[in-house]
Structures are given as C-alpha cells and as structure tokens.
Amino acid sequence: MRDLFQEQLEALCARSLDRHLREINSSQGPEIEISGVGRDRRARRFINFSSNDYLGLANDPKLREAAIAAINEFGVGAGASRLITGTQSPHVRLEHALAKWKGTEAALSFSSGYAAALGTIPALVKKNDVILLDKLCHASLIDGAKLSGAILRIFPHNNLRKLESHLEWARREHPGKRILVATESVFSMDGDRVPLRELVELKKRFDALLMLDEAHAVGVIGPNGRGLAAAESVSEDVDIQMGTLSKALGASGGYICGSRNLIEWLINRARSFIYSTAPSPAIAAAALAAVDFLSSSEGEERRLLLWKKIRLIQEVMPTSGLNKKDAPAGAIFPWIVGDEQAALDLASALQNKGFLVPAIRYPTVAKGSARLRITVTAAHQEDQIRSLCEAIKRASAALRRLEFRP
Ligand SMILES: *Cc1c(COP(=O)(O)O)cnc(C)c1O
C-alpha cells in the first residue's frame, strides 16, 4: 500500500516546516541534557532559553516534595472523572488556593490550559452567539471558539478600534445574543501585552463577556504574580480568568477563575472537564505548592529576581531583531527572522554554541514570520544571558554575510 503520509511529510520538509521531538534526559532547568545530538549521537548539555518555567519551579524541591507526599497519601491515578469519584482533597485544596490567590469567588482546575479553553468557550457561547478573538490568540482559544459553533470574528492584533467596530456589528446584527471577547494578557509568541484597561472599557460599553488567557502573565506580572488583570486592577471586570499551572507554576494543568456561578456552570457544561479523568492528585498537590509559594514573600522575591533577568536581557540583547524601545512586557523575547529556513539555521548555529532556542515557524506563527523565541527565567545566571546575547550577535552576523554573498 502507498504510504499515505510520506508525501505530506516530504512536502513539509521542502518548506522547512517539518518538526521533530528532542529527548531531554535531565530535569528542567536553565541547563538541560539532550540525547543523541550531532553525528556521534551522544548526549549534550545546553543552556536552555526556550522553557516557560519562568520561576524555575518545575524541578523545585517544594513541588517535588508536595507531589511525593500526595503520592504517598493518595496514590498516582485519580481513577475517575472529577464528577464521579476523581475529586480528591488535593484538587479541592488547589481550587480554594487558586481562588484566594486570584481574588475570585471560585476556581476550577483542568488537566491542561488547552483543555480549559476547549471546555470553557463552548460552555459560554453557542451557535448564533458571537466570539471575537485577537489575531494572535493561542491555538487553544481558536480551537475552543471553533468548537463552540459561535460566529467567530478575528480582529487584528491589539487593534481595539477594529474590535470596537466588530462589537458594534455584533450588537447590531445579532441583537440579544451573547458576545465573548477572548484574548491574552502576554502574547505567547510575540511577548507583548494587551491594552487591558482600554479593552475593559470596551467590553463594558458593549456588555460583552471578557475571557483573558493569562498563561504567560501569571507568576510573572502583578502582585504575587497574580497576572495582568490584577496588575491593572481590573480583575472584577475580567469575567473569565484563564491560566495554566504548567508554565511559571512549574506543574501541569489549567484553570479558570471567576464567579461561583461561572464555575458551577463549567462543572455542569465544560466537556473537557466532565469527560476526562481527573488529573493525578500528585500534580494537583504540586500546583498547590506553587500557588502557596507565589502567594508568599519568598515567591514575590523570586518574581522580582525574574524581572532582574528580564531587564538584563533587554539591556544586553543586540538591537536588530528586537524591539528595545518599549519596556519589556514579560519574559518572552521574539527574535523575528522571517524566513523559515533562516530561522532554522540561526537556531542550529546557536545550538552548536550550546544554546537551545528553537525556531518557531508556521503554523504556530504566520508564514514568513519565523522567529527564535527566547524566554528567560529567574534561574538563569547573568553570564548565561550575556553569552547568549553574544552568540546571537555572532550567529546573526554570520548568517547575514552568507545571505548577502554575491
Ligand atoms: C501554553 C498556553 C496554553 C495552554 O496551556 P497548557 O497548560 O500548556 O495546555 C494556553 N494559552 C496560552 C497563551 C499558552 O501559551
């Protein structure tokens, strides 16, 4: 039989859009070890500038110990979905802690941030309702929007004038229907922020619901890392506060924070929550340890340490390829290369120098806007940051010389 996928894979390769897994055979951290790199297929260590473990919690003893203690008390598997018998004490404690930390009435945890979006959006809007998404929204929001069957309109990135005209259109053409605006606080591939206060003004004026994905803002922005809504004092006006436990919180899972009624509704209607086995109690316990840490003064210190590293990278990064005019928005620094192959070449030049900064390509970002996505964490050393910047300077100069060779 003809191999159905061979041709498709070759077509991806020809466009420099093929993707492959790397096996990391160490714990997460600023240095990781990868199996089978290079011709000799030996394991090599790299300085890692591509992780979302912004506070260095993924391998933190507090989280490890919480997970181990939960395994000893509750075992490994939750055994059933949350609504049957899968809700164990760590899940309940985690949700109480999340609501308290975020200052909302209630919270609900999901097995991932992706599952949170996929379950929540279709529970909020349906056919004939309207959902408005920023062009650069994460795949989880797009997929949730599509799954909902609501009328989907995209507005250009952070373009609130266009959003306003979409809102006018929606109120005019779909009177009495629900309108949901969904966006991110720090955009995952561009690293910039949403103009949240202006957005809140708009959503109030048009009586729309607002869902804010704080995946890259929690743990990074706002008092005790509560996110952008807290930093801008508009938490009350963000109806659905979404986030993940898998990035700065160092564990795994997603959450929605909001009113008690919202959470009760999701418990009844969010299909990714209802029809999936509860996350392992160990992972809920680890996430709880992370929330407790963030809520503490020690956690706040760690967050401020992250900001020292963010300011350092902004200061020492070479000027071309990076927007240095504005104050940094968060821990993500995109180095936009454009061409897919050029981004791969730059990533591999950096890898040869011992830095891991994978190229991000279509369909994660638009075609022709391939980039290196550099992320910095509180756990990076200053000299690691400085040497990355030097390596980028040299590698991009070398690539430019190659490109311009007559
Ligand atoms: C990573 C991410 C998610 C998904 O969260 P997971 O817990 O990894 O599934 C959702 N939204 C954004 C913006 C993200 O970057």
Side-chain angles (χ1 to χ4, degrees):
M1 198 181 78
R2 197 170 68 91
D3 186 332
L4 277 175
F5 306 112
Q6 183 78 18
E7 260 172 52
Q8 289 174 306
L9 285 169
E10 282 166 4
L12 278 184
C13 261
R15 291 183 293 154
S16 305
L17 293 176
D18 53 314
R19 297 166 174 220
H20 307 277
L21 298 172
R22 305 179 176 78
E23 179 182 342
I24 313 292
N25 55 19
S26 65
S27 59
Q28 297 294 335
E31 268 188 59
I32 53 177
E33 190 174 284
I34 302 186
S35 306
V37 231
R39 255 181 236 110
D40 56 7
R41 313 296 300 160
R42 281 223 312 264
R44 262 188 75 189
R45 290 191 78 76
F46 292 92
I47 302 174
N48 179 17
F49 280 98
S50 50
S51 149
N52 302 314
D53 179 24
Y54 298 123
L55 297 173
L57 290 179
N59 188 32
D60 188 284
K62 290 180 284 296
L63 274 69
R64 292 168 73 120
E65 279 157 24
I68 291 166
I71 288 176
N72 288 336
E73 191 174 350
F74 297 97
V76 175
S81 65
R82 288 286 305 272
L83 278 169
I84 306 301
T85 52
T87 298
Q88 290 170 284
S89 304
H91 302 102
V92 176
R93 287 187 208 133
L94 169 63
E95 286 162 354
H96 283 159
L98 279 168
K100 186 159 177 243
W101 173 55
K102 295 283 284 180
T104 55
E105 281 176 16
L108 192 64
S109 65
F110 290 74
S111 54
S112 69
Y114 185 85
L118 217 66
T120 298
I121 296 174
L124 301 175
V125 285
K126 57 184 192 305
K127 196 165 171 265
N128 296 326
D129 290 329
V130 175
I131 176 160
L132 304 174
L133 284 188
D134 186 287
K135 175 101 171 72
L136 295 187
C137 273
H138 189 260
S140 59
L141 299 171
I142 298 169
D143 294 356
K146 286 185 177 163
L147 191 62
S148 74
I151 301 157
L152 170 60
R153 282 265 169 122
I154 307 285
F155 56 94
H157 178 48
N158 276 346
N159 185 333
L160 297 191
R161 284 194 27 217
K162 194 70 193 177
L163 172 61
E164 182 177 9
S165 73
H166 282 347
L167 285 163
E168 279 163 1
W169 163 85
R171 277 284 167 250
R172 190 175 63 241
E173 300 296 324
H174 301 278
K177 294 298 176 194
R178 204 175 266 185
I179 305 175
L180 174 67
V181 178
T183 190
E184 292 172 32
S185 44
V186 171
F187 284 83
S188 59
M189 296 299 143
D190 288 63
D192 57 342
R193 291 186 190 184
V194 69
L196 188 57
R197 281 166 171 267
E198 292 89 331
L199 182 64
V200 161
E201 284 310 308
L202 267 184
K203 87 104 193 174
K204 286 207 278 200
R205 183 141 65 84
F206 288 91
D207 195 23
L209 285 170
L210 176 58
M211 175 165 177
L212 185 66
D213 179 351
E214 298 248 38
H216 297 280
V218 289
V220 177
I221 294 172
N224 293 100
R226 295 209 307 271
L228 187 62
E232 303 274 341
S233 312
V234 293
S235 293
E236 305 272 290
D237 297 308
V238 179
D239 307 279
I240 303 105
Q241 301 195 38
M242 170 183 157
T244 173
L245 306 166
S246 342
K247 288 170 181 163
L249 281 95
S252 170
Y255 68 80
I256 299 287
C257 286
S259 69
R260 163 65 44 207
N261 284 342
L262 167 71
I263 298 308
E264 288 298 331
W265 180 248
L266 293 180
I267 290 171
N268 283 275
R269 279 293 184 277
R271 294 169 64 87
S272 65
F273 175 85
I274 298 168
Y275 298 106
S276 188
T277 298
S280 161
I283 208 68
L288 170 61
V291 174
D292 285 345
F293 175 69
L294 277 175
S295 309
S296 72
S297 58
E298 206 190 330
E300 186 64 358
E301 267 168 43
R302 181 80 61 92
R303 189 179 74 80
L304 297 177
L305 181 63
L306 168 63
W307 274 93
K308 272 174 88 168
K309 309 293 162 75
I310 291 173
R311 280 190 293 271
L312 177 67
I313 201 166
Q314 169 96 351
E315 182 193 314
V316 297
M317 187 65 85
T319 42
S320 65
L322 186 76
N323 176 7
K324 305 243 294 183
K325 289 194 310 287
D326 305 330
I332 302 165
F333 292 83
W335 182 279
I336 305 208
V337 177
D339 180 65
E340 278 75 24
Q341 190 56 46
L344 286 175
D345 291 346
L346 189 52
S348 95
L350 289 174
Q351 185 160 328
N352 288 335
K353 296 283 176 228
F355 297 99
L356 195 67
V357 194
I360 307 285
R361 290 162 291 159
Y362 177 81
T364 305
V365 294
K367 276 191 188 128
S369 78
R371 65 199 61 190
L372 299 184
R373 176 181 178 273
I374 303 156
T375 50
V376 68
T377 73
H380 282 109
Q381 302 295 319
E382 276 199 33
D383 58 342
Q384 293 173 327
I385 293 173
R386 289 182 193 278
S387 52
L388 169 75
C389 291
E390 278 308 310
I392 288 184
K393 248 182 241 177
R394 273 192 235 106
S396 54
L399 284 175
R400 266 199 302 277
R401 272 198 302 283
L402 278 180
E403 272 168 40
F404 295 143
R405 201 159 50 193

